[in-house]
């Protein structure tokens, strides 16, 4: 990297939470291994189900993380410059759990996981920061799931209340359902 590029990348990297606490020399080594990836609007950085062995740092543009559910793509989150994506593949070295698509022309740095194997100092910082990020995401997801379940319970309670009110109104007006009518006739 040229001096100007070093300075720009280091300035950007200082805003990337995955690199928090990484010594400057280690950061320069890491960024020196990175590959620049450019995508047009609607271009995919990777697709759900692909094998993953790298992560990305978004430098320019906006991207969306999407997951397929019930035959449709569902937006999980939008990312902006300084955000990272694909880092889970460093942990499990398996298939991508979602796809990342550029919403506008986007530029990122791609960092290969196997390029970190000979740098335990870099790995330690990245994995520590990744654990913090994943913990925060899990907490946010827990809040979202709890809110969703509470909405479902509220809707179910409202439905049950409406059904009970309808039954009471029917009984008050003397209307009997077929089952109620048969039971009444048997008892007479």
């Amino acid at each position: 990297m040229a001096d100007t590029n070093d300075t720009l990348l280091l300035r950007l990297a200082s805003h990337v939470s995955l690199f928090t606490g990484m010594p400057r020399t280690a950061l320069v080594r890491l960024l020196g291994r990175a590959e620049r990836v450019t995508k047009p609007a609607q271009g995919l950085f990777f697709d759900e189900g692909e094998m993953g062995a790298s992560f990305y740092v978004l430098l320019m543009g906006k991207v969306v993380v999407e997951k397929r559910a019930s035959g449709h793509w569902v937006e999980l989150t939008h990312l902006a410059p300084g955000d990272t994506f694909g880092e889970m593949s460093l942990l499990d070295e398996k298939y991508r759990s979602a796809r990342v698509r550029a919403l506008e022309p986007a530029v990122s740095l791609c960092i290969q996981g196997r390029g970190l194997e000979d740098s335990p100092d870099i790995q330690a910082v990245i994995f520590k920061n990744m654990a913090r990020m994943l913990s925060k995401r899990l907490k946010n997801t827990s809040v979202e799931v709890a809110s969703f379940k509470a909405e479902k319970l509220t809707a179910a309670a409202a439905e049950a209340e409406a059904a009970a009110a309808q039954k009471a109104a029917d009984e008050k007006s003397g209307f009997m359902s077929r089952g109620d009518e048969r039971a009444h006739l048997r008892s007479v």
Side-chain angles (χ1 to χ4, degrees):
M1 279 191 281
D3 255 0
T4 306
N5 286 342
D6 279 354
T7 305
L8 290 173
L9 286 176
L10 287 171
R11 193 173 303 143
L12 173 70
S14 70
H15 298 289
V16 176
S17 60
L18 204 56
F19 302 151
T20 300
M22 188 175 295
R24 181 182 170 91
T25 56
L27 193 52
V28 168
R29 277 194 345 257
L30 177 66
L31 295 176
R33 299 174 184 175
E35 175 189 345
R36 184 181 164 132
V37 177
T38 303
K39 296 292 178 182
Q42 306 309 316
L44 291 181
F45 281 93
F46 53 79
D47 204 353
E48 181 177 349
E50 289 180 357
M51 285 298 291
S54 59
F55 72 97
Y56 297 78
V57 178
L58 189 60
L59 300 177
M60 184 185 86
K62 292 181 183 167
V63 301
V64 61
V65 179
E66 300 171 312
K67 178 130 184 90
R68 185 173 283 286
S70 302
H72 303 286
W73 288 106
V74 177
E75 288 187 4
L76 301 179
T77 192
H78 288 235
L79 302 175
D83 288 333
T84 59
F85 54 94
E87 63 275 1
M88 285 176 52
S89 71
L90 296 182
L91 296 174
D92 62 15
E93 298 178 347
K94 296 201 177 179
Y95 299 102
R96 301 282 189 185
S97 62
R99 76 177 184 181
V100 176
R101 179 174 54 88
L103 294 172
E104 58 189 44
V107 178
S108 71
L109 292 178
C110 178
I111 300 169
Q112 296 296 322
R114 62 184 168 272
L116 301 176
E117 292 170 356
D118 65 342
S119 303
D121 57 330
I122 293 173
Q123 274 186 334
V125 172
I126 287 177
F127 287 142
K128 180 174 117 183
N129 290 329
M130 196 181 305
R132 287 182 180 144
M133 287 170 48
L134 293 174
S135 175
K136 182 179 177 182
R137 288 178 189 168
L138 183 57
K139 287 176 184 176
N140 290 340
T141 301
S142 294
V143 168
E144 289 176 16
V145 168
S147 295
F148 175 74
K149 286 188 171 192
E151 286 175 20
K152 283 182 75 174
L153 287 173
T154 302
E159 270 184 43
E161 190 176 311
Q166 183 64 48
K167 184 175 181 180
D170 290 347
E171 288 173 356
K172 187 174 182 181
S173 69
F175 174 78
M176 289 187 200
S177 70
R178 255 196 170 154
D180 291 343
E181 190 176 312
R182 282 192 214 124
H184 177 71
L185 291 173
R186 275 186 252 149
S187 67
V188 177

